Amino acid sequence: MTAVAGGVRALARIVARQDGRGGTSLPVLDGEGPLALRRTRSSGAEARVVVVGAMSGPLGGDHFTVEADVEAGARLHVGSAAATIALPGQAKGEARYDVRLSVADGGELHWLPEQLISARGSDLHVTTRVDVGASGRLVLREEQVLGRVGEEPGRLSSRIRVGVAGRVVLDQELACGPGAPGGWDGPAGLGGCRAVGQLVVVRPEFADAPVAARVLGDHAAVLPLAGPAALVSAVAADALRLRGLLDEALEALDSLG
Amino acid sequence: MSRAALLVLADGRFPAGGHAHSGGAEAAVKAGRITGAESLEDFCRGRLHTAGLVAASLAAAAALGVDVVALDEAADARTPSPALRTAARKLGRQLMRAARATWPSEELDAVAREFPKGAHQPVVLGVAARAAGLGAVDAAYCAAYESVSGPASATVRLLSLDPFDATAVLARLAPEMDRVADRAVEAGRAVVGGGVDELPAASAPLLEIGAEVHAAWAVRLFAS
C-alpha cells in the first residue's frame, strides 16, 4: 500500500490452484491496508477468502485494485467481512475501485462481497472485468446502496464486463447520484429505489440449456444472456430487500441443476 | 449528402414498424411510474442517456463502416433483457426491409444476408444512413431521437396525454439529445480505432426489468 498525494493505492491479489489432493491451494494471497485478506476454513474442494477492510474507504483520490485468478480446476469463494463504504475524504477527485477476475477452464469462482454503500459527497468509479474460460463457472454478486439510512447518495458509477471464452456476454454501466446523467433515479432508471444489484451466473451447461427469462415481482428479473450466462437484475427499497431478491433468484437458478 | 434524406429516415412515418413499440413506456405506465408529462420527461431523459446513448453510438459506428457482426455482438452484451434483444432484432429486420427498398445498396444486402433474423436496429440504422448518403452524426441523431420519440407518442395513446404536452417534452429534451449525439459520434470514432469495447454501456435497470414484466403479459397494446 502506498499513500500518494491525493489518496491511497492498494492492491490485493489472489491466485487459486488445484492442490493435487482434491482441494484448492492459494499460492498467492497478498493484501494490504484496506484490502487485507484472510483465508478461512475451506469447504470441500473450495478455498475461502474474506476481504477484511482494515481501514475505511475508498475515499476521494484512493485507487484500490483487487485481482483474483482461478486456475484450471480450482475452486475459490471470496466474500467480505463488511460492507464497503465510499466516503468523500480530504483529497480531491474521484476514487477508483478496479476488480479483475479470471476463471480458467474447469475452475469455479464465487465472488460474493457485501454491499457497496455510496455515502453523501463521495465520488467512486468501480470497474469489474471478468474473463471466464469455456468450461469455467462463475457466481458474482454486486450490490450498490445509495446512501446510508436517510442519506443522499454520492456519485457512483459501476461498469461490469463479463467475457466467456473470449466473447463479451455482458457489458453494462450504472451511473447514479449527483452529477450522473439525468433520469437515473426516474421511471426508467431506479424509480426512487435506493438499492440496486446484479448477480451474474456463468455455467457451461447454459450453452445447451439456457435458463428461461422470468420475473420476480415488478423489480427483479432473471435474464438469460447471449451466451452461457444469466444475469439477475434487481432494484429494491433497501439493502435487505435487495439481498432477499438476489438470494431468491440464485435459489431458482440452482434448482435448475 | 442530402440533408432531406435525414428527414426521410427520421420520419415517424418511415415504414419501419417503430410505432408498434413503446420503448418501455407501456410497462412504466402500467406500474404507475409514468403518470403524466413530468414523469414521461423523466422516463425519456433516463432512456436517452442510457439505451439512447448506446443505440446512437452503435448507429454512429455502423455509419462509419465498423464491422456489423462485432457491433451486433456488442449490442447483445449491452442488452441483457432477452425481450429487448428480440424486439431490437425484429425492428432491425423491419428497418432493413424498408431501407433496402428506399436506398438499394450492396452493404444493406450483405447485412441482410448475414442476419436473416435481423440485426440490432441501431446497427441497421447506421448502415441505412450510409446507404442514404448520410453520416455518423445523422445516424446518431436518428437513434437518439427515436429513443425518446417512441415512448412519448406511445404515452399519448396509453394515458390519453395531450399530444402538445408530449411534443413539449421532446422539445425540452432537445439540448440533451444534442449532447448524446455528440458523445455517440465520439464513441463511434473511438470504435474505428479501438474496437467495440469503446462503446458506452450505460444501462437503466427498470427498462430491462420492465421489458420482461411486459413480455409476460397476456394482452398488451405495444410489442415492447
Side-chain angles (χ1 to χ4, degrees), chain A residues 129 159 161 167-175 181-193 196 198 213-215 217-226 231 233-235, chain B residues 28 31 33-34 39-40 42-47 49-50 73-74 76-82 85 176 183 196-210 212-213 216:
Chain A
R129 186 169 182 156
R159 183 164 184 170
R161 187 154 78 206
R167 177 178 167 165
V168 178
V169 298
L170 176 68
D171 192 344
Q172 67 169 19
E173 180 170 45
L174 181 74
W184 64 269
D185 197 23
L190 299 180
C193 289
V196 52
Q198 299 86 36
R214 72 164 82 178
V215 292
D218 278 343
H219 288 88
V222 178
L223 309 167
L225 300 175
L231 174 74
S233 182
V235 295
Chain B
R33 293 195 293 269
I34 298 179
S39 46
L40 170 64
D42 212 14
F43 177 90
C44 288
R45 182 171 283 115
R47 189 164 195 258
H49 289 292
T50 54
E73 274 189 25
D76 265 351
R78 286 159 178 75
T79 316
S81 154
R85 290 198 298 274
E176 286 174 73
R183 276 195 63 196
V196 294
D197 284 351
E198 300 287 337
L199 289 164
S203 67
L206 282 172
L207 280 184
E208 300 282 337
I209 296 165
E212 294 303 322
V213 172

Coordinates of all heavy atoms in Angstrom, one line a residue, chain A residues 129 159 161 167-175 181-193 196 198 213-215 217-226 231 233-235, chain B residues 28 31 33-34 39-40 42-47 49-50 73-74 76-82 85 176 183 196-210 212-213 216:
Chain A
R129 N -14.0 -6.5 -14.2 CA -13.8 -7.2 -15.5 C -13.6 -8.7 -15.2 O -12.7 -9.0 -14.4 CB -12.7 -6.6 -16.3 CG -12.6 -7.2 -17.6 CD -11.6 -6.6 -18.5 NE -11.7 -7.3 -19.8 CZ -11.4 -6.8 -21.0 NH1 -11.0 -5.6 -21.1 NH2 -11.5 -7.5 -22.0
R159 N -19.1 -0.2 -13.8 CA -19.2 -0.8 -15.1 C -18.7 -2.3 -14.9 O -17.7 -2.5 -14.4 CB -18.4 -0.1 -16.1 CG -18.5 -0.8 -17.5 CD -18.0 0.2 -18.6 NE -18.2 -0.4 -19.9 CZ -18.0 0.3 -21.1 NH1 -17.7 1.5 -21.0 NH2 -18.2 -0.3 -22.2
R161 N -18.0 -5.9 -17.0 CA -17.9 -6.6 -18.3 C -17.5 -8.0 -18.0 O -16.5 -8.3 -17.3 CB -16.8 -5.9 -19.1 CG -16.7 -6.4 -20.5 CD -16.2 -5.3 -21.5 NE -14.7 -5.2 -21.3 CZ -14.0 -4.1 -21.6 NH1 -14.6 -3.0 -21.9 NH2 -12.8 -4.1 -21.5
R167 N -15.6 -14.1 -25.6 CA -16.7 -13.2 -26.1 C -17.4 -12.5 -25.0 O -17.7 -13.1 -24.0 CB -17.7 -14.1 -26.9 CG -18.9 -13.3 -27.4 CD -19.9 -14.2 -28.1 NE -21.1 -13.4 -28.3 CZ -22.0 -13.7 -29.1 NH1 -21.9 -14.8 -29.9 NH2 -23.1 -13.0 -29.3
V168 N -17.5 -11.2 -25.1 CA -18.2 -10.4 -24.1 C -19.7 -10.7 -24.1 O -20.4 -10.5 -25.1 CB -17.9 -8.9 -24.3 CG1 -18.7 -8.1 -23.3 CG2 -16.4 -8.6 -24.3
V169 N -20.2 -11.2 -23.0 CA -21.6 -11.6 -22.9 C -22.4 -10.5 -22.1 O -23.6 -10.5 -22.2 CB -21.8 -13.0 -22.3 CG1 -21.2 -14.0 -23.1 CG2 -21.4 -13.0 -20.8
L170 N -21.7 -9.7 -21.4 CA -22.4 -8.6 -20.6 C -21.5 -7.4 -20.5 O -20.3 -7.6 -20.1 CB -22.7 -9.1 -19.2 CG -23.4 -8.1 -18.3 CD1 -24.8 -7.7 -18.8 CD2 -23.5 -8.6 -16.8
D171 N -21.9 -6.3 -20.8 CA -21.2 -5.1 -20.6 C -22.2 -4.0 -20.3 O -23.0 -3.6 -21.1 CB -20.5 -4.7 -21.9 CG -19.4 -3.5 -21.7 OD1 -19.5 -2.9 -20.6 OD2 -18.6 -3.3 -22.5
Q172 N -22.2 -3.6 -19.0 CA -23.2 -2.6 -18.6 C -22.6 -1.7 -17.5 O -21.9 -2.1 -16.7 CB -24.5 -3.2 -18.3 CG -24.6 -4.0 -17.1 CD -26.1 -4.3 -16.7 OE1 -27.0 -4.2 -17.5 NE2 -26.3 -4.7 -15.5
E173 N -23.1 -0.5 -17.6 CA -22.6 0.6 -16.6 C -23.8 1.2 -16.0 O -24.8 1.6 -16.7 CB -21.8 1.6 -17.3 CG -21.3 2.7 -16.4 CD -20.3 3.6 -17.0 OE1 -20.5 4.1 -18.2 OE2 -19.3 3.9 -16.4
L174 N -23.8 1.3 -14.7 CA -24.8 2.0 -13.9 C -24.2 3.3 -13.4 O -23.1 3.3 -12.8 CB -25.3 1.2 -12.8 CG -26.4 1.7 -11.9 CD1 -27.7 1.7 -12.7 CD2 -26.5 1.0 -10.6
A175 N -24.8 4.4 -13.6 CA -24.3 5.7 -13.1 C -25.4 6.3 -12.3 O -26.6 6.4 -12.8 CB -23.9 6.6 -14.2
P181 N -25.8 11.4 -15.4 CA -26.7 11.8 -16.5 C -28.1 11.8 -16.0 O -28.5 10.9 -15.2 CB -26.4 10.8 -17.6 CG -25.0 10.3 -17.4 CD -24.9 10.3 -15.9
G182 N -28.9 12.7 -16.4 CA -30.3 12.9 -15.9 C -31.2 11.6 -16.1 O -30.9 10.8 -16.9
G183 N -32.1 11.5 -15.2 CA -33.1 10.5 -15.3 C -32.7 9.2 -14.6 O -33.4 8.2 -14.5
W184 N -31.5 9.1 -13.9 CA -31.0 7.9 -13.3 C -31.9 7.4 -12.2 O -32.1 6.2 -12.0 CB -29.6 8.1 -12.8 CG -29.5 9.1 -11.7 CD1 -29.2 10.4 -11.8 CD2 -29.6 8.9 -10.3 NE1 -29.2 11.0 -10.6 CE2 -29.5 10.1 -9.6 CE3 -29.9 7.7 -9.5 CZ2 -29.6 10.3 -8.2 CZ3 -30.0 7.9 -8.1 CH2 -29.9 9.1 -7.5
D185 N -32.6 8.4 -11.6 CA -33.5 8.0 -10.4 C -34.9 7.9 -10.9 O -35.8 7.7 -10.1 CB -33.3 9.0 -9.3 CG -33.9 8.4 -8.0 OD1 -33.9 7.2 -7.9 OD2 -34.2 9.3 -7.1
G186 N -35.2 8.1 -12.2 CA -36.6 8.2 -12.6 C -37.2 6.9 -13.0 O -36.6 5.8 -12.7
P187 N -38.3 7.0 -13.7 CA -39.1 5.7 -14.0 C -38.4 4.8 -14.9 O -38.8 3.6 -15.0 CB -40.4 6.3 -14.7 CG -40.2 7.7 -14.9 CD -39.0 8.2 -14.1
A188 N -37.3 5.2 -15.6 CA -36.6 4.2 -16.5 C -35.4 3.6 -15.7 O -34.9 2.5 -16.0 CB -36.1 4.9 -17.7
G189 N -34.9 4.4 -14.7 CA -33.7 4.0 -14.0 C -33.9 3.2 -12.7 O -34.1 2.0 -12.8
L190 N -33.9 3.9 -11.6 CA -34.1 3.3 -10.3 C -35.5 3.5 -9.7 O -35.9 2.9 -8.8 CB -33.1 3.7 -9.3 CG -31.6 3.4 -9.8 CD1 -30.6 3.9 -8.7 CD2 -31.4 1.9 -10.0
G191 N -36.3 4.4 -10.3 CA -37.6 4.6 -9.8 C -37.7 4.9 -8.3 O -38.6 4.5 -7.7
G192 N -36.7 5.7 -7.8 CA -36.7 6.0 -6.4 C -36.1 5.0 -5.5 O -36.0 5.2 -4.3
C193 N -35.8 3.8 -6.0 CA -35.2 2.7 -5.2 C -33.8 3.1 -4.8 O -33.1 3.8 -5.5 CB -35.2 1.4 -5.9 SG -36.8 0.7 -6.2
V196 N -29.6 -1.4 -5.6 CA -29.7 -2.0 -6.9 C -28.6 -3.1 -7.0 O -27.5 -2.9 -6.4 CB -29.5 -0.9 -8.0 CG1 -28.2 0.0 -7.8 CG2 -29.4 -1.5 -9.4
Q198 N -26.9 -6.8 -9.0 CA -26.8 -7.8 -10.1 C -26.1 -9.0 -9.6 O -25.3 -9.0 -8.7 CB -25.8 -7.2 -11.2 CG -26.3 -5.9 -11.9 CD -25.8 -4.7 -11.1 OE1 -24.7 -4.7 -10.5 NE2 -26.7 -3.7 -11.1
A213 N -36.2 -16.8 -19.2 CA -36.4 -15.5 -18.5 C -37.6 -15.6 -17.6 O -38.5 -16.3 -17.8 CB -36.7 -14.5 -19.6
R214 N -37.4 -14.9 -16.5 CA -38.6 -14.9 -15.5 C -38.5 -13.6 -14.7 O -37.5 -13.1 -14.5 CB -38.6 -16.1 -14.7 CG -37.6 -16.2 -13.6 CD -37.9 -17.2 -12.5 NE -37.5 -18.5 -12.9 CZ -37.6 -19.6 -12.2 NH1 -38.1 -19.5 -11.0 NH2 -37.2 -20.8 -12.6
V215 N -39.7 -13.2 -14.2 CA -39.7 -12.0 -13.4 C -40.0 -12.5 -12.0 O -40.7 -13.4 -11.7 CB -40.7 -11.0 -13.8 CG1 -40.3 -10.4 -15.2 CG2 -42.1 -11.6 -13.9
G217 N -41.6 -10.6 -9.1 CA -42.3 -9.4 -8.8 C -42.0 -8.3 -9.9 O -41.7 -8.7 -11.0
D218 N -42.2 -7.1 -9.5 CA -42.0 -6.0 -10.5 C -40.6 -5.4 -10.6 O -40.4 -4.5 -11.4 CB -43.0 -4.8 -10.2 CG -44.4 -5.1 -10.7 OD1 -44.5 -6.0 -11.6 OD2 -45.3 -4.4 -10.2
H219 N -39.8 -5.9 -9.7 CA -38.5 -5.2 -9.5 C -37.3 -6.1 -9.7 O -36.2 -5.7 -9.3 CB -38.4 -4.5 -8.1 CG -39.3 -3.3 -8.1 ND1 -40.6 -3.4 -7.7 CD2 -39.1 -2.0 -8.3 CE1 -41.2 -2.2 -7.7 NE2 -40.3 -1.3 -8.1
A220 N -37.5 -7.3 -10.2 CA -36.3 -8.2 -10.4 C -36.6 -9.1 -11.5 O -37.8 -9.5 -11.8 CB -36.0 -8.9 -9.1
A221 N -35.6 -9.5 -12.3 CA -35.8 -10.4 -13.4 C -34.6 -11.3 -13.6 O -33.4 -10.8 -13.3 CB -36.1 -9.7 -14.7
V222 N -34.8 -12.5 -14.0 CA -33.7 -13.4 -14.4 C -33.6 -13.3 -15.9 O -34.6 -13.5 -16.6 CB -34.0 -14.9 -14.0 CG1 -32.9 -15.8 -14.5 CG2 -34.2 -15.0 -12.5
L223 N -32.4 -12.9 -16.4 CA -32.3 -12.6 -17.8 C -31.2 -13.5 -18.4 O -30.0 -13.3 -18.2 CB -31.8 -11.1 -18.0 CG -32.7 -10.1 -17.2 CD1 -32.0 -8.7 -17.2 CD2 -34.0 -10.0 -17.9
P224 N -31.6 -14.4 -19.3 CA -30.6 -15.2 -20.0 C -29.8 -14.3 -21.0 O -30.4 -13.6 -21.8 CB -31.4 -16.3 -20.7 CG -32.8 -15.8 -20.8 CD -33.0 -14.9 -19.6
L225 N -28.5 -14.4 -20.9 CA -27.7 -13.5 -21.8 C -27.4 -14.2 -23.1 O -27.7 -15.4 -23.2 CB -26.4 -13.1 -21.0 CG -26.6 -12.4 -19.7 CD1 -25.3 -12.2 -19.0 CD2 -27.3 -11.0 -20.0
A226 N -26.8 -13.5 -24.0 CA -26.5 -14.1 -25.3 C -25.1 -14.9 -25.1 O -24.1 -14.4 -25.5 CB -26.4 -13.0 -26.4
L231 N -28.1 -13.2 -16.1 CA -28.0 -12.0 -15.2 C -29.3 -11.9 -14.4 O -30.3 -12.1 -15.0 CB -27.8 -10.7 -16.0 CG -27.8 -9.4 -15.2 CD1 -26.5 -9.2 -14.5 CD2 -28.1 -8.2 -16.1
S233 N -31.1 -9.1 -12.4 CA -31.1 -7.6 -12.2 C -32.2 -7.3 -11.2 O -33.3 -7.8 -11.4 CB -31.3 -6.9 -13.5 OG -31.2 -5.5 -13.4
A234 N -31.9 -6.5 -10.2 CA -32.9 -6.2 -9.2 C -32.8 -4.8 -8.7 O -31.6 -4.3 -8.5 CB -32.9 -7.2 -8.1
V235 N -33.9 -4.2 -8.4 CA -33.8 -2.9 -7.6 C -34.8 -3.1 -6.4 O -35.7 -3.8 -6.5 CB -34.3 -1.7 -8.4 CG1 -33.3 -1.4 -9.6 CG2 -35.7 -1.9 -9.0
Chain B
A28 N -44.0 1.0 -17.9 CA -43.9 2.0 -16.9 C -45.2 2.7 -16.5 O -45.5 3.1 -15.4 CB -42.9 3.1 -17.3
A31 N -47.2 0.2 -14.4 CA -46.6 0.2 -13.0 C -46.8 1.5 -12.2 O -46.4 1.6 -11.1 CB -45.1 -0.2 -13.1
R33 N -45.4 4.3 -12.9 CA -44.1 5.1 -12.9 C -44.2 6.3 -13.9 O -43.6 7.3 -13.7 CB -42.9 4.3 -13.2 CG -42.6 3.2 -12.1 CD -41.2 2.7 -12.3 NE -41.0 1.9 -13.5 CZ -41.2 0.5 -13.5 NH1 -41.6 -0.1 -12.5 NH2 -41.0 -0.1 -14.7
I34 N -45.0 6.2 -14.9 CA -45.4 7.3 -15.8 C -46.8 7.6 -15.6 O -47.7 6.8 -15.9 CB -45.1 7.0 -17.3 CG1 -43.6 6.7 -17.5 CG2 -45.5 8.2 -18.1 CD1 -43.3 6.3 -19.0
S39 N -43.5 12.9 -15.4 CA -42.8 11.6 -15.3 C -42.4 11.1 -16.6 O -41.4 10.3 -16.7 CB -43.7 10.7 -14.5 OG -45.0 10.7 -14.9
L40 N -43.2 11.4 -17.7 CA -42.8 11.0 -19.0 C -41.4 11.6 -19.4 O -40.5 10.9 -19.9 CB -43.8 11.4 -20.1 CG -43.4 11.2 -21.5 CD1 -43.2 9.8 -21.9 CD2 -44.4 11.9 -22.5
D42 N -39.1 12.5 -17.3 CA -38.0 11.9 -16.5 C -37.7 10.5 -17.1 O -36.5 10.1 -17.1 CB -38.5 11.8 -15.1 CG -37.4 11.9 -14.1 OD1 -36.3 12.3 -14.5 OD2 -37.6 11.6 -12.9
F43 N -38.7 9.8 -17.5 CA -38.5 8.5 -18.2 C -37.7 8.6 -19.4 O -36.7 7.9 -19.6 CB -39.9 7.9 -18.5 CG -39.8 6.5 -19.2 CD1 -39.7 5.3 -18.5 CD2 -39.7 6.5 -20.6 CE1 -39.6 4.1 -19.2 CE2 -39.6 5.3 -21.3 CZ -39.6 4.1 -20.6
C44 N -38.1 9.6 -20.3 CA -37.4 9.8 -21.6 C -36.0 10.2 -21.3 O -35.1 9.8 -22.0 CB -38.1 10.8 -22.4 SG -39.7 10.2 -23.1
R45 N -35.8 11.1 -20.3 CA -34.4 11.5 -20.1 C -33.5 10.4 -19.7 O -32.4 10.2 -20.1 CB -34.4 12.6 -19.0 CG -33.1 13.2 -18.6 CD -33.2 14.4 -17.7 NE -33.6 15.6 -18.4 CZ -34.8 16.2 -18.2 NH1 -35.6 15.7 -17.3 NH2 -35.1 17.3 -18.9
G46 N -34.0 9.5 -18.8 CA -33.3 8.3 -18.4 C -33.0 7.4 -19.5 O -31.9 6.9 -19.7
R47 N -34.0 7.2 -20.4 CA -33.8 6.3 -21.5 C -32.8 6.9 -22.5 O -31.9 6.2 -23.1 CB -35.1 6.1 -22.2 CG -35.1 5.0 -23.3 CD -36.4 4.5 -23.7 NE -36.3 3.2 -24.4 CZ -36.4 3.1 -25.8 NH1 -36.6 4.2 -26.5 NH2 -36.3 1.9 -26.3
H49 N -30.2 8.9 -22.0 CA -28.8 8.8 -21.5 C -28.3 7.4 -21.3 O -27.1 7.2 -21.0 CB -28.7 9.6 -20.2 CG -28.8 11.1 -20.4 ND1 -27.9 11.8 -21.1 CD2 -29.8 12.0 -20.0 CE1 -28.2 13.1 -21.1 NE2 -29.4 13.2 -20.5
T50 N -29.2 6.4 -21.5 CA -28.7 5.0 -21.3 C -28.9 4.3 -22.6 O -28.0 4.3 -23.5 CB -29.5 4.3 -20.1 OG1 -30.9 4.5 -20.4 CG2 -29.1 5.0 -18.8
E73 N -22.8 -8.1 -31.8 CA -22.4 -8.8 -30.5 C -22.3 -7.8 -29.4 O -22.7 -8.1 -28.3 CB -21.0 -9.4 -30.7 CG -21.1 -10.8 -31.3 CD -19.8 -11.5 -31.3 OE1 -18.9 -11.2 -30.4 OE2 -19.6 -12.4 -32.1
A74 N -21.8 -6.6 -29.6 CA -21.7 -5.6 -28.6 C -23.1 -5.1 -28.1 O -23.3 -4.8 -27.0 CB -20.8 -4.4 -29.1
D76 N -25.8 -7.0 -28.2 CA -26.3 -8.1 -27.4 C -25.7 -8.0 -25.9 O -26.5 -8.1 -25.0 CB -25.8 -9.5 -27.9 CG -26.8 -10.2 -28.8 OD1 -27.9 -9.7 -28.9 OD2 -26.4 -11.2 -29.5
A77 N -24.4 -7.7 -25.8 CA -23.8 -7.7 -24.5 C -24.4 -6.5 -23.7 O -24.4 -6.5 -22.4 CB -22.3 -7.6 -24.6
R78 N -24.9 -5.5 -24.4 CA -25.4 -4.3 -23.7 C -26.9 -4.3 -23.6 O -27.5 -3.4 -23.2 CB -25.0 -3.0 -24.5 CG -23.5 -2.7 -24.3 CD -23.0 -1.8 -25.4 NE -21.6 -1.5 -25.2 CZ -20.6 -2.3 -25.3 NH1 -20.8 -3.5 -25.7 NH2 -19.3 -1.9 -25.1
T79 N -27.5 -5.5 -23.9 CA -29.0 -5.6 -23.8 C -29.3 -6.9 -23.1 O -29.6 -8.0 -23.7 CB -29.6 -5.7 -25.2 OG1 -29.0 -4.7 -26.0 CG2 -31.1 -5.5 -25.2
P80 N -29.2 -6.9 -21.7 CA -29.3 -8.2 -21.0 C -30.7 -8.8 -21.1 O -30.9 -10.0 -21.1 CB -29.0 -7.9 -19.6 CG -28.7 -6.4 -19.5 CD -28.7 -5.8 -20.9
S81 N -31.8 -8.0 -21.3 CA -33.1 -8.5 -21.4 C -33.4 -9.2 -22.7 O -33.3 -8.6 -23.8 CB -34.1 -7.3 -21.3 OG -35.4 -7.7 -21.9
P82 N -33.7 -10.5 -22.7 CA -34.0 -11.2 -24.0 C -35.2 -10.6 -24.7 O -35.2 -10.6 -26.0 CB -34.2 -12.6 -23.6 CG -34.4 -12.6 -22.1 CD -33.8 -11.4 -21.5
R85 N -33.7 -7.8 -26.7 CA -32.9 -8.3 -27.8 C -33.8 -8.7 -28.9 O -33.6 -8.4 -30.1 CB -32.0 -9.4 -27.4 CG -30.9 -9.0 -26.4 CD -29.7 -10.1 -26.4 NE -30.1 -11.3 -25.9 CZ -30.2 -11.7 -24.6 NH1 -29.8 -10.8 -23.7 NH2 -30.5 -12.9 -24.3
E176 N -30.3 18.0 -24.6 CA -29.6 16.8 -24.2 C -29.5 15.8 -25.3 O -28.5 15.0 -25.3 CB -30.4 16.2 -23.0 CG -30.3 17.0 -21.7 CD -31.1 16.5 -20.6 OE1 -30.9 15.4 -20.0 OE2 -32.1 17.2 -20.3
R183 N -21.7 12.8 -28.1 CA -20.9 11.7 -27.4 C -20.9 10.5 -28.2 O -19.9 9.7 -28.2 CB -21.6 11.4 -26.0 CG -21.1 12.3 -24.9 CD -21.5 11.8 -23.5 NE -20.8 10.5 -23.3 CZ -21.2 9.7 -22.3 NH1 -22.2 9.9 -21.5 NH2 -20.5 8.5 -22.1
V196 N -14.9 -2.4 -30.3 CA -16.3 -2.2 -29.7 C -16.3 -2.0 -28.2 O -17.3 -1.5 -27.7 CB -17.2 -3.3 -30.1 CG1 -17.5 -3.4 -31.6 CG2 -16.8 -4.7 -29.6
D197 N -15.2 -2.3 -27.5 CA -15.1 -2.0 -26.1 C -15.2 -0.5 -25.8 O -15.5 -0.1 -24.7 CB -13.9 -2.6 -25.5 CG -14.0 -4.1 -25.3 OD1 -15.1 -4.7 -25.5 OD2 -13.0 -4.8 -24.9
E198 N -14.9 0.3 -26.8 CA -15.0 1.7 -26.7 C -16.5 2.2 -26.6 O -16.7 3.4 -26.3 CB -14.3 2.4 -27.9 CG -12.8 2.1 -28.0 CD -12.0 2.8 -26.9 OE1 -12.4 3.8 -26.3 OE2 -10.9 2.2 -26.6
L199 N -17.4 1.4 -27.0 CA -18.8 1.8 -27.0 C -19.3 2.0 -25.5 O -18.9 1.2 -24.6 CB -19.7 0.7 -27.6 CG -19.6 0.6 -29.1 CD1 -20.2 -0.8 -29.5 CD2 -20.3 1.7 -29.8
P200 N -20.1 3.0 -25.3 CA -20.6 3.2 -23.9 C -21.6 2.0 -23.6 O -22.0 1.3 -24.5 CB -21.4 4.5 -24.0 CG -21.6 4.8 -25.4 CD -20.6 4.1 -26.2
A201 N -21.8 1.8 -22.3 CA -22.6 0.6 -21.9 C -23.6 1.0 -20.9 O -24.0 0.3 -20.0 CB -21.7 -0.5 -21.3
A202 N -24.1 2.3 -20.9 CA -25.0 2.9 -19.9 C -26.3 2.1 -19.9 O -26.8 1.7 -20.9 CB -25.3 4.3 -20.3
S203 N -26.7 1.7 -18.7 CA -27.9 0.9 -18.6 C -28.9 1.5 -17.6 O -28.5 2.3 -16.7 CB -27.5 -0.5 -18.1 OG -27.0 -0.4 -16.8
A204 N -30.2 1.1 -17.8 CA -31.3 1.6 -16.9 C -32.0 0.4 -16.4 O -32.7 -0.3 -17.1 CB -32.2 2.5 -17.7
P205 N -31.8 0.0 -15.1 CA -32.3 -1.2 -14.6 C -33.8 -1.5 -14.8 O -34.2 -2.5 -15.2 CB -32.0 -1.1 -13.1 CG -30.8 -0.3 -13.0 CD -31.0 0.7 -14.1
L206 N -34.6 -0.4 -14.6 CA -36.1 -0.7 -14.7 C -36.5 -0.8 -16.2 O -37.6 -1.4 -16.4 CB -36.9 0.5 -14.0 CG -36.9 0.3 -12.5 CD1 -37.5 1.6 -11.9 CD2 -37.7 -0.9 -12.1
L207 N -35.7 -0.3 -17.1 CA -36.1 -0.6 -18.5 C -35.9 -2.1 -18.8 O -36.7 -2.7 -19.5 CB -35.1 0.2 -19.5 CG -35.4 1.6 -19.7 CD1 -34.4 2.2 -20.8 CD2 -36.8 1.9 -20.2
E208 N -34.8 -2.7 -18.3 CA -34.6 -4.1 -18.6 C -35.6 -5.0 -17.9 O -36.2 -5.9 -18.4 CB -33.1 -4.5 -18.2 CG -32.0 -3.7 -18.8 CD -31.7 -4.2 -20.2 OE1 -32.0 -5.4 -20.5 OE2 -31.2 -3.4 -21.1
I209 N -35.8 -4.7 -16.6 CA -36.7 -5.5 -15.8 C -38.1 -5.3 -16.3 O -38.9 -6.3 -16.5 CB -36.6 -5.1 -14.3 CG1 -35.2 -5.4 -13.7 CG2 -37.7 -5.8 -13.4 CD1 -34.9 -4.7 -12.4
G210 N -38.5 -4.0 -16.6 CA -39.8 -3.8 -17.0 C -40.1 -4.4 -18.4 O -41.3 -4.9 -18.6
E212 N -39.2 -7.4 -19.3 CA -39.5 -8.8 -19.0 C -40.9 -8.9 -18.4 O -41.7 -9.8 -18.7 CB -38.5 -9.4 -18.1 CG -37.1 -9.5 -18.8 CD -37.1 -10.3 -20.1 OE1 -37.9 -11.3 -20.2 OE2 -36.4 -9.9 -21.0
V213 N -41.2 -7.9 -17.5 CA -42.5 -7.9 -16.9 C -43.6 -7.7 -18.0 O -44.6 -8.5 -18.1 CB -42.7 -6.7 -15.9 CG1 -44.1 -6.5 -15.4 CG2 -41.7 -6.9 -14.7
A216 N -44.3 -10.7 -20.3 CA -45.0 -11.8 -19.6 C -46.5 -11.6 -19.6 O -47.3 -12.5 -19.3 CB -44.5 -12.0 -18.2

